[in-house]
Amino acid sequence: MKVKDAMHKGVDWVNPDTPITEIAKLMREHDIGCIPIGEDDKLVGMVTDRDIVCKGLANGKFDANRALARDVMTDGIHCCREDDDLAKAVHHMESLQVRRLPVINKNKRMVGMISLGDVGRLAPNDLLAGCVKHVAAHH
């Protein structure tokens, strides 16, 4: 099975100057836990609900009304390709201990997102069990 068979298609990204309040609204509206961050037509990071809480709200100087994506985003981004085997993407998620990966095509354009939930729907039980064990492990 290929990543493109399991991923969510049509994922959008926002720029680093997007207000955190807008990102939180997008997460709520789409029932998602992360938003990719892009600049100059290139993915540069990711904001997760955990980033907003741990890097933002838990920081005593955080002002949610003024904070931007760049203030809490995780710099750098790991991706997989839509034509990768699902098992390869799952092992990549395991090694990074992440629950989601942006999916790019051969032109390096983001075309979707693969999540642990997507893997849970389609992957064989042994592959899923290994992924959950590694991703959910304490860092």
Side-chain angles (χ1 to χ4, degrees):
M1 178 176 291
K2 300 292 185 186
V3 169
K4 66 183 169 189
D5 300 321
M7 71 182 193
H8 280 85
K9 295 178 175 118
V11 176
D12 289 324
W13 50 272
V14 300
N15 72 53
D17 293 321
T18 303
I20 288 298
T21 52
E22 184 177 326
I23 290 174
K25 288 175 186 174
L26 286 170
M27 288 179 176
R28 181 184 64 202
E29 178 182 327
H30 297 288
D31 192 26
I32 55 176
C34 73
I35 302 284
I37 308 300
E39 188 169 45
D40 298 325
D41 203 32
K42 177 181 171 190
L43 291 175
V44 296
M46 186 86 74
V47 171
T48 66
D49 44 9
R50 181 171 165 72
D51 290 331
I52 293 171
V53 171
C54 294
K55 295 177 184 176
L57 294 173
N59 180 347
K61 300 173 187 171
F62 183 74
D63 180 354
N65 293 318
R66 294 178 185 233
L68 305 175
R70 71 175 68 255
D71 299 328
V72 298
M73 75 180 197
T74 299
D75 289 326
I77 198 156
H78 293 272
C79 300
C80 62
R81 295 191 181 269
E82 65 181 343
D83 291 326
D84 286 347
D85 286 328
L86 185 58
K88 179 180 178 182
V90 167
H91 293 306
H92 193 54
M93 291 168 73
E94 287 176 7
S95 68
L96 297 169
Q97 289 187 301
V98 297
R99 292 168 172 77
R100 340 166 162 83
L101 281 176
V103 180
I104 58 174
N105 64 15
K106 63 183 176 182
N107 297 321
K108 298 185 180 178
R109 308 294 273 169
M110 188 173 70
V111 294
M113 186 80 68
I114 186 88
S115 71
L116 191 56
D118 299 325
V119 172
R121 284 186 302 109
L122 299 168
N125 287 342
D126 58 333
L127 184 62
L128 176 61
C131 184
V132 170
K133 180 179 177 182
H134 288 93
V135 168
H138 291 284
H139 293 45

